[in-house]
Amino acid sequence: MLEIPSAGWFRWKKNHCSKFEKSVPYALLCQVAGLKEYISANPALKFESTTTVVHSKFAHVSVSNGENGHDVETEAHDEFYDAIAGDSSSSSEDEDEESDDNGEVDQKDARVKLRNVSWAISSIAVKRTKASVTNKELDPNANSTVIDPSQFCGSLHKGKDENDSNCWSSPSGKGFMIRGKSYLKDNAKVMGGEPLLKLLAVDWFTVDKSIDRIALHPKCLVQSEAGKKLPFILVINLQVPAKPNYSLVLYYAAERPPKKNSLLAKFVDGSDMFRDARFKLIPSIVEGYWMVKRAVGTKACLLGKAVTCKYFRQDNFLEIDVDIGSSSVARGVIGLVLGYVTSLVVDLAILIEAKEEEELPEYILGTVRLNRVKLDSAVHLDG
């Protein structure tokens, strides 16, 4: 047992720790002393093996106070357990439990490995090429139109390389996870492929108030001679609430018109209710501050359910006006993004949510990367 010379003990106690009685070491020493006295009072316990479990209901501890000479009695109500005894007495049980645990771990590992293998197989099996998506969603009998990007130019220029700023580019869909072929059964998602539609240009406008049906504006790309010759154009008008207000307009084009009864055709010519239930956007902050990444996230969002969307179908185009200011949550997030926009690289993917078996796997309609956009570079557009 632990023994401490009384002279040195009282000197240390008086000079270094006036409140030692309230400390954890003091309580432990009291319990050790109590255990020592308890065993001394029961000689039979001295010859028990180390497998003995000692239950101490109480222990009187006499500590002489060096200042007034009085004894202080404390009572402990703790149970002392010999760890060696526990190990030796339950060794056989531990072996059985360990074998059971190992069996459970092996089964879990097997399930995890099987799931990983099945996920990899499903990812390979459902990976669509752009050609297969094009044939399913666009009319194969229509003449394919060659899209010349040099004929289209927006107010925001296309980036020359990754180091360019205040520009846009069109990344692949590999950075986005979309619903796989077996999603309705196992919720498995797969890596996105190449976008179906080609991003032609991006306009970055300031406006006095939000403008709907921007595709009808004389300065809009859709009204150009080259734009009128395209089989189909999807216009996404993201209306950003601020002072002043902004409009980020994305123009996507297809080489052929939508195929009849395809998911794209149902969306383009369907009801607003159907469009609201299917129009989906996936955001991703590629570069930026942690708090902005946390606020934006990477979770897919049904824009028609989160904010107010207006749809305008005419001639060879469909325009979607997205009023970000219609939601207080979206307004707060976009306000945070605008505060750091000059240091952000943002990727967006636009798609039509697949909900039926025959619509799976999903495909990406279009993507855009906004690289460190400057607010003051926006061009004013008259209403």
Side-chain angles (χ1 to χ4, degrees):
M1 288 296 176
L2 182 64
E3 293 184 3
I4 302 176
S6 59
W9 163 254
F10 292 132
R11 190 183 308 112
W12 181 89
K13 176 184 174 184
K14 182 178 180 180
N15 296 334
H16 295 85
C17 189
S18 60
K19 298 181 180 180
F20 184 72
E21 291 87 351
K22 299 180 180 180
S23 65
V24 173
Y26 176 77
L28 292 175
L29 287 172
C30 289
Q31 291 191 5
V32 170
L35 179 60
K36 180 180 179 181
E37 291 191 7
Y38 180 80
I39 295 176
S40 299
N42 295 272
L45 295 176
K46 295 181 180 180
F47 304 100
E48 294 288 341
S49 67
T50 56
T51 61
T52 303
V53 178
V54 181
H55 298 278
S56 176
K57 296 298 181 183
F58 63 91
H60 292 283
V61 183
S62 297
V63 180
S64 177
N65 191 319
E67 296 179 358
N68 51 28
H70 295 292
D71 291 341
V72 179
E73 291 188 354
T74 61
E75 190 175 77
H77 299 276
D78 294 298
E79 180 178 290
F80 297 91
Y81 177 73
D82 192 330
I84 300 177
D87 289 342
S88 60
S89 63
S90 61
S91 59
S92 60
E93 295 178 2
D94 289 345
E95 290 177 359
D96 295 339
E97 292 179 359
E98 184 176 356
S99 62
D100 293 340
D101 292 341
N102 290 337
E104 292 179 0
V105 171
D106 292 340
Q107 291 178 1
K108 290 180 180 179
D109 290 342
R111 286 196 295 267
V112 171
K113 291 179 180 178
L114 181 60
R115 184 174 182 179
N116 290 340
V117 171
S118 62
W119 181 87
I121 293 174
S122 63
S123 298
I124 297 173
V126 303
K127 187 176 181 181
R128 288 184 171 186
T129 62
K130 184 177 180 180
S132 64
V133 175
T134 301
N135 292 333
K136 184 176 181 179
E137 298 298 320
L138 302 181
D139 188 356
N141 298 321
N143 294 327
S144 179
T145 301
V146 178
I147 300 176
D148 184 6
S150 62
Q151 296 181 341
F152 307 96
C153 182
S155 60
L156 190 66
H157 77 276
K158 185 176 181 180
K160 299 177 181 178
D161 52 44
E162 295 181 356
N163 297 323
D164 201 359
S165 62
N166 195 37
C167 61
W168 64 270
S169 61
S170 183
S172 68
K174 294 181 179 180
F176 303 96
M177 299 302 294
I178 60 178
R179 296 182 175 186
K181 182 64 177 177
S182 59
Y183 180 82
L184 298 180
K185 299 177 182 178
D186 55 16
N187 292 332
K189 291 190 175 183
V190 297
M191 187 184 299
E194 290 297 319
L196 175 65
L197 306 181
K198 185 178 183 62
L199 181 58
L200 298 179
V202 176
D203 274 327
W204 180 228
F205 294 132
T206 59
V207 292
D208 296 328
K209 61 179 182 179
S210 297
I211 299 179
D212 295 334
R213 301 190 176 187
I214 201 168
L216 298 180
H217 196 281
K219 294 183 179 180
C220 183
L221 176 151
V222 178
Q223 300 302 320
S224 65
E225 291 299 322
K228 293 179 180 180
K229 295 179 181 179
L230 293 175
F232 175 71
I233 302 175
L234 176 63
V235 182
I236 308 294
N237 178 19
L238 299 176
Q239 300 170 344
V240 182
K243 294 182 179 180
N245 294 312
Y246 297 93
S247 273
L248 181 70
V249 189
L250 313 175
Y251 303 94
Y252 296 94
E255 300 172 350
R256 299 195 296 267
K259 182 180 179 180
K260 187 177 181 180
N261 295 326
S262 66
L263 181 59
L264 178 59
K266 293 177 182 178
F267 180 81
V268 172
D269 297 316
S271 65
D272 288 355
M273 183 179 297
F274 179 84
R275 292 163 174 163
D276 282 342
R278 299 299 189 99
F279 182 41
K280 187 160 66 175
L281 180 140
I282 306 177
S284 176
I285 304 295
V286 181
E287 294 181 18
Y289 292 99
W290 174 85
M291 62 179 176
V292 180
K293 290 185 177 181
R294 186 67 180 271
V296 174
T298 58
K299 187 176 181 180
C301 173
L302 285 173
L303 286 183
K305 300 293 185 180
V307 297
T308 300
C309 293
K310 298 178 182 179
Y311 306 90
F312 179 53
R313 176 76 166 109
Q314 182 173 306
D315 300 331
N316 65 334
F317 69 88
L318 169 67
E319 177 179 336
I320 306 177
D321 299 314
V322 183
D323 183 8
I324 299 176
S326 61
S327 166
S328 59
V329 175
R331 189 165 57 249
V333 172
I334 200 66
L336 177 64
V337 171
L338 288 178
Y340 297 93
V341 68
T342 55
S343 61
L344 299 180
V345 178
V346 183
D347 281 1
L348 301 176
I350 298 168
L351 56 156
I352 305 171
E353 184 171 82
K355 294 185 177 181
E356 305 295 336
E357 186 73 28
E358 61 273 12
E359 297 171 352
L360 292 169
E362 286 181 334
Y363 64 89
I364 295 178
L365 269 179
T367 63
V368 64
R369 170 169 292 181
L370 303 171
N371 196 343
R372 302 177 181 87
V373 176
K374 297 179 181 179
L375 296 178
D376 56 5
S377 67
V379 177
H380 183 72
L381 183 68
D382 296 327

